[in-house]
Coordinates of all heavy atoms in Angstrom, one line a residue:
M1 N 10.7 -10.3 5.7 CA 9.5 -9.6 5.6 C 8.6 -9.9 6.8 O 7.8 -9.0 7.2 CB 8.8 -9.9 4.3 CG 7.7 -8.9 3.9 SD 8.5 -7.3 3.6 CE 7.1 -6.3 3.5
G2 N 8.7 -11.1 7.4 CA 7.9 -11.4 8.5 C 8.1 -10.6 9.7 O 7.1 -10.3 10.4
C3 N 9.3 -10.2 10.0 CA 9.7 -9.4 11.2 C 9.1 -8.0 11.0 O 8.6 -7.4 12.0 CB 11.2 -9.3 11.4 SG 11.9 -10.9 11.8
V4 N 9.1 -7.5 9.8 CA 8.5 -6.2 9.6 C 7.0 -6.2 9.8 O 6.4 -5.3 10.4 CB 8.9 -5.7 8.2 CG1 8.2 -4.3 7.8 CG2 10.4 -5.5 8.0
M5 N 6.4 -7.3 9.3 CA 5.0 -7.4 9.4 C 4.6 -7.6 10.9 O 3.6 -7.0 11.4 CB 4.4 -8.5 8.6 CG 4.5 -8.3 7.1 SD 4.0 -9.7 6.1 CE 2.3 -9.9 6.5
A6 N 5.4 -8.4 11.6 CA 5.1 -8.5 13.1 C 5.3 -7.2 13.8 O 4.5 -6.9 14.7 CB 6.0 -9.6 13.6
S7 N 6.3 -6.5 13.5 CA 6.5 -5.2 14.1 C 5.3 -4.2 13.8 O 4.9 -3.5 14.6 CB 7.8 -4.6 13.6 OG 8.0 -3.3 14.2
A8 N 4.8 -4.3 12.6 CA 3.7 -3.4 12.2 C 2.5 -3.8 12.9 O 1.6 -2.9 13.3 CB 3.5 -3.4 10.7
L9 N 2.3 -5.1 13.2 CA 1.1 -5.5 13.9 C 1.1 -5.1 15.3 O 0.0 -5.1 15.9 CB 0.9 -7.0 13.7 CG 0.5 -7.5 12.3 CD1 0.5 -9.0 12.2 CD2 -0.9 -6.9 11.9
T10 N 2.2 -4.9 15.9 CA 2.2 -4.5 17.3 C 1.7 -3.1 17.5 O 1.2 -2.7 18.6 CB 3.7 -4.5 17.9 OG1 4.5 -3.6 17.2 CG2 4.2 -5.9 17.9
V11 N 1.7 -2.3 16.4 CA 1.2 -0.9 16.5 C -0.4 -0.9 16.6 O -0.9 0.0 17.3 CB 1.7 -0.1 15.3 CG1 1.1 1.3 15.3 CG2 3.2 0.0 15.3
V12 N -1.0 -1.8 15.9 CA -2.5 -1.8 15.9 C -3.2 -2.3 17.1 O -4.3 -2.1 17.3 CB -3.0 -2.5 14.6 CG1 -2.6 -1.8 13.4 CG2 -2.6 -4.0 14.6
G13 N -2.4 -3.1 17.9 CA -3.0 -3.6 19.1 C -3.6 -5.0 18.9 O -3.8 -5.5 17.8
K14 N -3.9 -5.7 20.0 CA -4.3 -7.1 19.9 C -5.7 -7.3 19.3 O -6.0 -8.2 18.7 CB -4.3 -7.7 21.3 CG -2.9 -8.0 21.9 CD -2.8 -9.4 22.3 CE -1.5 -9.6 23.0 NZ -0.7 -10.6 22.3
A15 N -6.6 -6.3 19.6 CA -8.0 -6.4 19.1 C -8.1 -6.4 17.6 O -9.0 -7.0 17.0 CB -8.8 -5.3 19.7
K16 N -7.2 -5.7 16.9 CA -7.2 -5.5 15.5 C -6.1 -6.2 14.7 O -5.9 -6.0 13.6 CB -7.2 -4.1 15.1 CG -8.5 -3.3 15.6 CD -8.5 -1.9 15.2 CE -9.7 -1.2 15.7 NZ -9.8 0.2 15.3
Q17 N -5.4 -7.2 15.4 CA -4.3 -7.9 14.7 C -4.8 -8.8 13.6 O -4.1 -8.9 12.6 CB -3.5 -8.7 15.7 CG -2.6 -7.8 16.5 CD -1.6 -8.7 17.4 OE1 -1.8 -9.9 17.5 NE2 -0.6 -8.0 17.9
S18 N -5.9 -9.4 13.7 CA -6.4 -10.2 12.5 C -6.7 -9.4 11.3 O -6.4 -9.8 10.2 CB -7.6 -11.1 13.0 OG -8.7 -10.2 13.3
Q19 N -7.3 -8.2 11.5 CA -7.6 -7.3 10.4 C -6.3 -6.8 9.8 O -6.1 -6.7 8.6 CB -8.5 -6.2 10.8 CG -9.9 -6.6 11.1 CD -10.1 -6.9 12.6 OE1 -9.2 -6.9 13.3 NE2 -11.4 -7.1 12.9
G20 N -5.3 -6.4 10.7 CA -4.0 -5.9 10.2 C -3.3 -7.0 9.5 O -2.6 -6.7 8.4
N21 N -3.3 -8.2 9.9 CA -2.7 -9.3 9.2 C -3.3 -9.5 7.8 O -2.5 -9.7 6.8 CB -2.8 -10.6 10.0 CG -1.9 -11.7 9.5 OD1 -0.9 -11.4 8.8 ND2 -2.2 -12.9 9.8
A22 N -4.6 -9.5 7.7 CA -5.3 -9.6 6.5 C -4.9 -8.5 5.5 O -4.6 -8.7 4.3 CB -6.8 -9.7 6.6
I23 N -4.8 -7.3 6.0 CA -4.5 -6.1 5.2 C -3.0 -6.2 4.7 O -2.7 -6.0 3.5 CB -4.7 -4.8 5.9 CG1 -6.2 -4.5 6.1 CG2 -4.0 -3.6 5.2 CD1 -6.5 -3.4 7.0
L24 N -2.1 -6.6 5.6 CA -0.7 -6.7 5.2 C -0.5 -7.8 4.2 O 0.3 -7.7 3.2 CB 0.2 -6.9 6.4 CG 0.3 -5.7 7.3 CD1 1.1 -6.1 8.6 CD2 1.0 -4.6 6.6
N25 N -1.2 -9.0 4.3 CA -1.1 -10.1 3.4 C -1.7 -9.7 2.0 O -1.1 -10.0 1.0 CB -1.7 -11.3 3.9 CG -0.9 -12.0 5.0 OD1 0.3 -11.9 4.9 ND2 -1.5 -12.6 5.9
T26 N -2.8 -9.0 2.0 CA -3.4 -8.5 0.8 C -2.4 -7.5 0.1 O -2.3 -7.6 -1.1 CB -4.7 -7.8 1.1 OG1 -5.6 -8.8 1.7 CG2 -5.4 -7.4 -0.2
L27 N -1.8 -6.6 0.8 CA -0.9 -5.6 0.2 C 0.3 -6.3 -0.4 O 0.8 -5.9 -1.4 CB -0.5 -4.6 1.2 CG -1.5 -3.6 1.6 CD1 -1.0 -2.7 2.8 CD2 -1.9 -2.7 0.4
Q28 N 0.8 -7.4 0.3 CA 1.9 -8.1 -0.2 C 1.6 -8.8 -1.5 O 2.4 -8.8 -2.5 CB 2.4 -9.1 0.8 CG 3.7 -9.8 0.5 CD 4.2 -10.7 1.6 OE1 3.4 -11.1 2.5 NE2 5.4 -11.1 1.5
Q29 N 0.4 -9.4 -1.6 CA 0.0 -10.1 -2.8 C -0.2 -9.1 -3.9 O 0.1 -9.3 -5.1 CB -1.3 -10.9 -2.6 CG -1.1 -12.1 -1.7 CD -0.3 -13.1 -2.3 OE1 -0.4 -13.4 -3.5 NE2 0.6 -13.8 -1.6
F30 N -0.8 -7.9 -3.6 CA -1.1 -6.9 -4.6 C 0.2 -6.3 -5.1 O 0.3 -6.1 -6.3 CB -1.9 -5.8 -3.9 CG -2.4 -4.7 -4.8 CD1 -3.4 -5.1 -5.8 CD2 -2.0 -3.4 -4.7 CE1 -3.8 -4.1 -6.7 CE2 -2.5 -2.5 -5.6 CZ -3.4 -2.8 -6.6
A31 N 1.2 -6.1 -4.3 CA 2.5 -5.5 -4.7 C 3.2 -6.5 -5.6 O 3.8 -6.1 -6.6 CB 3.4 -5.2 -3.5
G32 N 3.1 -7.8 -5.3 CA 3.7 -8.8 -6.2 C 3.0 -8.9 -7.5 O 3.7 -9.0 -8.6
A33 N 1.7 -8.7 -7.6 CA 1.0 -8.7 -8.8 C 1.3 -7.5 -9.7 O 1.5 -7.6 -10.9 CB -0.5 -8.8 -8.6
I34 N 1.5 -6.3 -9.0 CA 1.8 -5.1 -9.8 C 3.2 -5.2 -10.3 O 3.5 -4.9 -11.5 CB 1.7 -3.9 -8.8 CG1 0.2 -3.6 -8.6 CG2 2.4 -2.7 -9.5 CD1 0.0 -2.5 -7.6
G35 N 4.2 -5.8 -9.5 CA 5.5 -5.9 -10.0 C 5.6 -6.9 -11.2 O 6.3 -6.6 -12.2
T36 N 4.9 -8.0 -11.1 CA 4.9 -8.9 -12.2 C 4.3 -8.3 -13.5 O 4.8 -8.5 -14.6 CB 4.1 -10.2 -11.8 OG1 4.7 -10.7 -10.7 CG2 4.1 -11.2 -12.9
S37 N 3.2 -7.5 -13.3 CA 2.6 -6.9 -14.4 C 3.5 -5.8 -15.1 O 3.6 -5.7 -16.3 CB 1.3 -6.2 -14.0 OG 0.4 -7.2 -13.5
L38 N 4.2 -5.1 -14.2 CA 5.1 -4.0 -14.8 C 6.3 -4.7 -15.6 O 6.6 -4.2 -16.6 CB 5.7 -3.2 -13.6 CG 4.7 -2.2 -13.0 CD1 5.3 -1.5 -11.8 CD2 4.3 -1.1 -14.1
V39 N 6.8 -5.7 -15.0 CA 7.9 -6.4 -15.7 C 7.4 -7.0 -17.1 O 8.1 -6.8 -18.1 CB 8.5 -7.5 -14.8 CG1 9.4 -8.4 -15.6 CG2 9.3 -6.9 -13.7
A40 N 6.3 -7.6 -17.0 CA 5.7 -8.2 -18.3 C 5.4 -7.1 -19.3 O 5.7 -7.2 -20.5 CB 4.4 -9.0 -18.0
M41 N 5.0 -5.9 -18.8 CA 4.7 -4.8 -19.7 C 5.9 -4.2 -20.3 O 6.0 -3.9 -21.5 CB 4.0 -3.7 -18.9 CG 3.5 -2.5 -19.7 SD 2.7 -1.2 -18.8 CE 4.0 -0.7 -17.7
I42 N 7.0 -4.1 -19.5 CA 8.3 -3.6 -20.1 C 8.9 -4.6 -21.1 O 9.3 -4.1 -22.2 CB 9.3 -3.3 -18.9 CG1 8.8 -2.2 -18.1 CG2 10.7 -3.1 -19.4 CD1 9.6 -1.9 -16.8
V43 N 8.8 -5.9 -20.8 CA 9.4 -6.8 -21.8 C 8.5 -6.9 -23.0 O 9.1 -6.9 -24.2 CB 9.5 -8.2 -21.1 CG1 9.8 -9.3 -22.2 CG2 10.5 -8.2 -20.0
A44 N 7.2 -6.8 -22.9 CA 6.3 -6.8 -24.1 C 6.5 -5.5 -24.9 O 6.5 -5.6 -26.2 CB 4.9 -6.9 -23.7
A45 N 6.7 -4.4 -24.3 CA 6.9 -3.1 -25.0 C 8.3 -3.2 -25.8 O 8.4 -2.7 -26.9 CB 6.9 -2.0 -24.1
S46 N 9.3 -3.8 -25.1 CA 10.5 -4.0 -25.8 C 10.5 -4.9 -27.0 O 11.1 -4.7 -28.0 CB 11.6 -4.4 -24.8 OG 12.8 -4.6 -25.4
Q47 N 9.7 -5.9 -26.9 CA 9.5 -6.9 -28.0 C 8.8 -6.3 -29.2 O 8.8 -6.9 -30.3 CB 8.8 -8.2 -27.5 CG 9.6 -9.0 -26.6 CD 8.8 -10.2 -26.0 OE1 7.6 -10.2 -26.1 NE2 9.6 -11.2 -25.5
S48 N 8.0 -5.2 -29.0 CA 7.2 -4.7 -30.1 C 8.1 -3.9 -31.1 O 7.6 -3.5 -32.1 CB 6.1 -3.8 -29.5 OG 6.7 -2.6 -28.9
H49 N 9.4 -3.6 -30.7 CA 10.2 -2.9 -31.6 C 10.6 -3.8 -32.8 O 11.1 -5.0 -32.6 CB 11.5 -2.4 -30.9 CG 11.3 -1.5 -29.9 ND1 10.7 -0.2 -30.1 CD2 11.5 -1.5 -28.5 CE1 10.6 0.4 -29.0 NE2 11.0 -0.3 -28.0
L50 N 10.4 -3.4 -34.0 CA 10.6 -4.2 -35.2 C 12.0 -4.1 -35.7 O 12.3 -4.9 -36.6 CB 9.6 -3.8 -36.3 CG 8.1 -4.0 -35.8 CD1 7.2 -3.5 -37.0 CD2 7.8 -5.5 -35.6
H51 N 12.8 -3.2 -35.2 CA 14.2 -3.1 -35.8 C 15.2 -4.1 -35.3 O 16.3 -4.1 -35.8 CB 14.7 -1.6 -35.6 CG 14.8 -1.3 -34.2 ND1 13.8 -0.8 -33.4 CD2 15.9 -1.3 -33.4 CE1 14.2 -0.6 -32.2 NE2 15.5 -0.8 -32.2
T52 N 14.8 -4.9 -34.3 CA 15.7 -5.9 -33.8 C 15.0 -7.3 -33.8 O 13.8 -7.4 -34.0 CB 16.2 -5.6 -32.4 OG1 15.1 -5.6 -31.5 CG2 17.0 -4.3 -32.3
T53 N 15.8 -8.3 -33.6 CA 15.2 -9.7 -33.5 C 14.4 -9.8 -32.2 O 14.7 -9.0 -31.3 CB 16.2 -10.8 -33.7 OG1 17.1 -10.7 -32.5 CG2 17.0 -10.7 -35.0
R54 N 13.5 -10.7 -32.2 CA 12.8 -11.0 -30.9 C 13.6 -11.3 -29.8 O 13.4 -11.0 -28.6 CB 11.7 -12.0 -31.2 CG 10.7 -12.1 -30.1 CD 9.5 -13.0 -30.5 NE 8.5 -13.1 -29.5 CZ 7.5 -12.3 -29.4 NH1 7.4 -11.3 -30.2 NH2 6.6 -12.4 -28.4
R55 N 14.7 -12.1 -30.0 CA 15.6 -12.5 -29.0 C 16.3 -11.4 -28.4 O 16.4 -11.2 -27.1 CB 16.6 -13.6 -29.5 CG 17.4 -14.3 -28.5 CD 18.3 -15.3 -29.1 NE 18.0 -15.7 -30.5 CZ 18.7 -16.4 -31.2 NH1 19.8 -16.9 -30.8 NH2 18.4 -16.7 -32.5
I56 N 16.8 -10.5 -29.2 CA 17.6 -9.3 -28.7 C 16.6 -8.3 -28.0 O 17.0 -7.8 -26.9 CB 18.3 -8.6 -29.9 CG1 19.4 -9.5 -30.4 CG2 18.9 -7.3 -29.4 CD1 20.0 -9.0 -31.7
S57 N 15.4 -8.1 -28.5 CA 14.5 -7.2 -27.9 C 14.0 -7.8 -26.6 O 13.8 -7.0 -25.6 CB 13.3 -6.9 -28.8 OG 12.6 -8.1 -29.1
T58 N 13.9 -9.1 -26.4 CA 13.5 -9.7 -25.1 C 14.6 -9.5 -24.1 O 14.4 -9.2 -23.0 CB 13.2 -11.2 -25.3 OG1 12.1 -11.3 -26.2 CG2 12.8 -11.8 -24.0
A59 N 15.9 -9.7 -24.6 CA 17.0 -9.5 -23.7 C 17.1 -8.0 -23.2 O 17.3 -7.7 -22.0 CB 18.3 -9.9 -24.3
I60 N 16.8 -7.1 -24.1 CA 16.9 -5.6 -23.7 C 15.8 -5.3 -22.8 O 16.0 -4.6 -21.8 CB 16.8 -4.8 -25.0 CG1 18.1 -4.9 -25.8 CG2 16.6 -3.3 -24.7 CD1 18.0 -4.3 -27.2
G61 N 14.6 -5.8 -23.0 CA 13.4 -5.6 -22.1 C 13.6 -6.2 -20.8 O 13.3 -5.6 -19.8
T62 N 14.3 -7.4 -20.7 CA 14.6 -8.0 -19.4 C 15.6 -7.2 -18.6 O 15.4 -7.0 -17.4 CB 15.1 -9.4 -19.6 OG1 14.1 -10.1 -20.4 CG2 15.3 -10.1 -18.3
Q63 N 16.6 -6.6 -19.3 CA 17.6 -5.8 -18.7 C 16.9 -4.5 -18.2 O 17.2 -4.0 -17.0 CB 18.7 -5.4 -19.6 CG 19.6 -6.6 -19.9 CD 20.7 -6.3 -20.9 OE1 20.6 -5.3 -21.6 NE2 21.6 -7.2 -21.1
E64 N 16.0 -3.9 -18.9 CA 15.3 -2.7 -18.5 C 14.4 -3.0 -17.3 O 14.4 -2.2 -16.4 CB 14.5 -2.1 -19.6 CG 15.4 -1.5 -20.7 CD 14.6 -1.1 -22.0 OE1 13.3 -1.4 -22.0 OE2 15.1 -0.5 -22.9
A65 N 13.7 -4.1 -17.3 CA 12.9 -4.5 -16.2 C 13.7 -4.7 -14.9 O 13.3 -4.3 -13.8 CB 12.0 -5.7 -16.5
F66 N 14.9 -5.4 -15.1 CA 15.7 -5.6 -14.0 C 16.2 -4.3 -13.4 O 16.3 -4.1 -12.2 CB 16.9 -6.5 -14.4 CG 17.8 -6.8 -13.2 CD1 17.4 -7.8 -12.3 CD2 19.0 -6.2 -13.1 CE1 18.2 -8.1 -11.2 CE2 19.9 -6.5 -12.0 CZ 19.5 -7.5 -11.1
G67 N 16.5 -3.3 -14.2 CA 17.0 -2.0 -13.8 C 15.9 -1.3 -13.0 O 16.1 -0.7 -11.9
M68 N 14.6 -1.4 -13.5 CA 13.5 -0.8 -12.8 C 13.3 -1.5 -11.4 O 13.1 -0.8 -10.4 CB 12.2 -1.0 -13.6 CG 11.0 -0.4 -12.9 SD 9.4 -1.1 -13.5 CE 9.5 -2.8 -13.0
L69 N 13.4 -2.8 -11.3 CA 13.3 -3.5 -10.0 C 14.4 -3.1 -9.1 O 14.2 -3.0 -7.9 CB 13.2 -5.0 -10.3 CG 11.9 -5.5 -11.0 CD1 12.0 -7.0 -11.2 CD2 10.7 -5.2 -10.1
T70 N 15.6 -2.9 -9.6 CA 16.7 -2.5 -8.8 C 16.5 -1.1 -8.2 O 16.8 -0.9 -7.0 CB 18.0 -2.5 -9.6 OG1 18.2 -3.8 -10.1 CG2 19.2 -2.1 -8.8
I71 N 16.0 -0.2 -9.0 CA 15.6 1.1 -8.5 C 14.6 1.0 -7.4 O 14.7 1.7 -6.4 CB 15.2 2.0 -9.7 CG1 16.4 2.3 -10.6 CG2 14.6 3.3 -9.1 CD1 16.1 3.0 -11.9
F72 N 13.5 0.2 -7.6 CA 12.5 0.0 -6.6 C 13.1 -0.5 -5.3 O 12.7 -0.1 -4.2 CB 11.4 -0.9 -7.1 CG 10.4 -0.3 -8.1 CD1 9.6 -1.1 -8.8 CD2 10.4 1.1 -8.2 CE1 8.7 -0.5 -9.7 CE2 9.5 1.7 -9.1 CZ 8.7 0.9 -9.9
C73 N 14.0 -1.5 -5.4 CA 14.7 -2.0 -4.2 C 15.5 -1.0 -3.5 O 15.4 -1.0 -2.2 CB 15.6 -3.2 -4.6 SG 14.7 -4.7 -5.1
I74 N 16.2 -0.1 -4.2 CA 16.9 0.9 -3.5 C 16.0 1.9 -2.8 O 16.3 2.3 -1.7 CB 17.8 1.6 -4.6 CG1 18.9 0.7 -5.0 CG2 18.4 2.9 -4.0 CD1 19.7 1.2 -6.2
I75 N 14.9 2.3 -3.5 CA 13.9 3.2 -2.8 C 13.3 2.5 -1.6 O 13.2 3.2 -0.5 CB 12.8 3.6 -3.9 CG1 13.4 4.5 -4.9 CG2 11.7 4.3 -3.2 CD1 12.5 4.7 -6.1
I76 N 13.0 1.3 -1.7 CA 12.4 0.6 -0.5 C 13.4 0.5 0.6 O 13.1 0.7 1.8 CB 11.9 -0.8 -0.9 CG1 10.6 -0.6 -1.8 CG2 11.5 -1.7 0.3 CD1 10.2 -1.9 -2.5
W77 N 14.6 0.2 0.3 CA 15.7 0.0 1.3 C 15.9 1.4 2.0 O 16.0 1.4 3.2 CB 17.0 -0.4 0.6 CG 18.1 -0.7 1.6 CD1 18.2 -1.8 2.3 CD2 19.2 0.1 1.8 NE1 19.4 -1.7 3.1 CE2 20.0 -0.5 2.8 CE3 19.6 1.3 1.3 CZ2 21.2 0.0 3.3 CZ3 20.8 1.9 1.8 CH2 21.5 1.2 2.8
I78 N 16.0 2.5 1.3 CA 16.2 3.8 1.9 C 15.0 4.1 2.7 O 15.1 4.6 3.9 CB 16.4 4.9 0.8 CG1 17.8 4.6 0.1 CG2 16.3 6.3 1.4 CD1 18.0 5.5 -1.1
S79 N 13.8 3.9 2.2 CA 12.6 4.3 3.1 C 12.5 3.4 4.3 O 12.0 3.8 5.3 CB 11.3 4.2 2.2 OG 11.1 2.9 1.8
Y80 N 12.9 2.1 4.2 CA 12.9 1.2 5.3 C 13.8 1.7 6.4 O 13.4 1.8 7.6 CB 13.3 -0.2 4.9 CG 13.4 -1.1 6.1 CD1 12.3 -1.7 6.7 CD2 14.7 -1.5 6.5 CE1 12.4 -2.5 7.8 CE2 14.8 -2.4 7.6 CZ 13.7 -2.9 8.2 OH 13.8 -3.7 9.2
Y81 N 15.0 2.1 6.1 CA 16.0 2.5 7.1 C 15.7 3.9 7.6 O 16.1 4.3 8.7 CB 17.4 2.4 6.6 CG 17.9 1.0 6.7 CD1 17.9 0.2 5.6 CD2 18.3 0.5 7.9 CE1 18.4 -1.1 5.7 CE2 18.7 -0.8 8.0 CZ 18.8 -1.6 6.9 OH 19.2 -2.9 7.0
R82 N 14.9 4.7 6.9 CA 14.5 6.0 7.4 C 13.3 5.9 8.3 O 13.1 6.7 9.2 CB 14.1 7.0 6.3 CG 15.3 7.5 5.5 CD 14.9 8.5 4.6 NE 16.0 9.3 4.2 CZ 15.9 10.4 3.5 NH1 14.8 10.9 3.1 NH2 17.0 11.1 3.2
S83 N 12.5 4.9 8.1 CA 11.2 4.8 8.9 C 11.4 3.9 10.2 O 10.7 4.0 11.1 CB 10.1 4.2 8.1 OG 10.4 2.9 7.7
V84 N 12.4 3.0 10.2 CA 12.6 2.1 11.3 C 13.5 2.8 12.4 O 14.5 3.3 12.1 CB 13.2 0.8 10.9 CG1 13.6 -0.1 12.1 CG2 12.3 0.1 9.9
K85 N 13.0 2.8 13.6 CA 13.7 3.5 14.7 C 14.9 2.6 15.1 O 14.8 1.4 15.1 CB 12.8 3.7 15.9 CG 11.7 4.6 15.6 CD 10.8 4.8 16.8 CE 9.6 5.6 16.5 NZ 8.7 5.7 17.7
K86 N 16.0 3.3 15.4 CA 17.2 2.5 15.8 C 17.0 2.2 17.3 O 16.7 3.0 18.1 CB 18.4 3.3 15.6 CG 18.7 3.5 14.2 CD 20.0 4.3 13.9 CE 20.2 4.5 12.4 NZ 21.5 5.1 12.1
I87 N 17.3 0.9 17.6 CA 17.2 0.5 19.0 C 18.6 0.4 19.6 O 19.5 -0.2 19.0 CB 16.5 -0.9 19.1 CG1 15.1 -0.9 18.5 CG2 16.5 -1.4 20.5 CD1 14.4 -2.2 18.4
K88 N 18.7 1.0 20.7 CA 20.1 1.0 21.4 C 20.0 0.3 22.7 O 19.1 0.1 23.4 CB 20.5 2.5 21.7 CG 20.8 3.2 20.4 CD 21.4 4.6 20.7 CE 21.6 5.3 19.4 NZ 22.3 6.5 19.6

């Protein structure tokens, strides 16, 4: 992730690199917090089902959250390779 952030900072220029660095670090922390909250929400929603035991519903919720994170990773990977220019 550091190389992507360094590449992004070259676009803003030297005068605004400290502001760009602060924005990118804030966005990285914000994305991590959102991801953690979404996973906790999915697991908690799965645990609220009363027709299974808590252990089974936690396992199902964890699998669903992992599937969501996998889909997010695929979307990010595709958008990364579409947006980064190929260097020859």
Side-chain angles (χ1 to χ4, degrees):
M1 195 66 188
C3 294
V4 174
M5 289 175 64
S7 178
L9 288 175
T10 60
V11 176
V12 296
K14 290 232 184 238
K16 295 184 179 182
Q17 279 190 350
S18 60
Q19 290 92 353
N21 191 24
I23 289 171
L24 289 175
N25 284 329
T26 301
L27 287 174
Q28 187 176 16
Q29 292 293 321
F30 189 65
I34 288 176
T36 303
S37 298
L38 286 174
V39 167
M41 183 179 65
I42 290 171
V43 172
S46 178
Q47 288 175 342
S48 68
H49 297 297
L50 299 175
H51 62 277
T52 60
T53 64
R54 188 167 182 92
R55 190 177 345 171
I56 293 172
S57 61
T58 301
I60 291 170
T62 304
Q63 289 175 350
E64 291 171 353
F66 184 74
M68 179 200 66
L69 292 175
T70 302
I71 291 170
F72 284 164
C73 286
I74 291 169
I75 291 169
I76 291 169
W77 185 77
I78 290 170
S79 64
Y80 173 76
Y81 279 102
R82 284 187 163 191
S83 64
V84 174
K85 296 177 184 175
K86 293 183 180 185
I87 300 173
K88 292 184 180 185

